[in-house]
Amino acid sequence: MKITIQEKTFETMLKATKGCVNDDYAPRPNLGYIGIKVVNGEVIALVCDGYSGARFKFPAQSQEGEDFTCLIKPIPFKASRNGTLPVVIELVDGEALVDVP
């Protein structure tokens, strides 16, 4: 199960949700992730730190396999100049893998 999106979209998703990710990982580690929900070729990024929340919805370039839900860490990322390289988010054996260019 995996989806492919453009790197500019991935960068926008990270920027839109980073303000709501919990920075204090010790007492509430599950709030330090971005929830990714893939349904029928649409991607919904959800995040909540207990005080504020964000939701970002966009279409995937392509989807392989079934719909899925996973958690990813917010990572520092900057898109290339044209922003069209593929970013792949994949769920393998319950583990989320993000392949960035």
Side-chain angles (χ1 to χ4, degrees), residues 19 34 40 57 63 67 70 79 82 87 98:
I34 299 171
N40 296 328
K57 186 176 180 180
Q63 178 181 347
D67 297 344
C70 65
N82 63 4
V87 173
V98 180

Side-chain angles (χ1 to χ4, degrees), residues 29-86:
N30 58 333
L31 300 180
Y33 293 90
I34 299 171
I36 303 292
K37 185 175 184 177
V38 179
V39 179
N40 296 328
E42 281 195 336
V43 182
I44 303 168
L46 301 165
V47 66
C48 179
D49 67 357
Y51 302 103
S52 58
R55 179 176 168 258
F56 186 69
K57 186 176 180 180
F58 56 94
Q61 276 185 311
S62 66
Q63 178 181 347
E64 293 179 24
E66 304 171 2
D67 297 344
F68 65 94
T69 302
C70 65
L71 296 173
I72 64 169
K73 276 283 208 196
I75 57 173
F77 180 77
K78 180 154 175 66
S80 65
R81 178 171 256 179
N82 63 4
T84 59
L85 295 174

Side-chain angles (χ1 to χ4, degrees), residues 78-101:
K78 180 154 175 66
S80 65
R81 178 171 256 179
N82 63 4
T84 59
L85 295 174
V87 173
V88 177
I89 301 174
E90 186 172 9
L91 188 66
V92 178
D93 297 330
E95 295 285 324
L97 303 174
V98 180
D99 183 23
V100 294

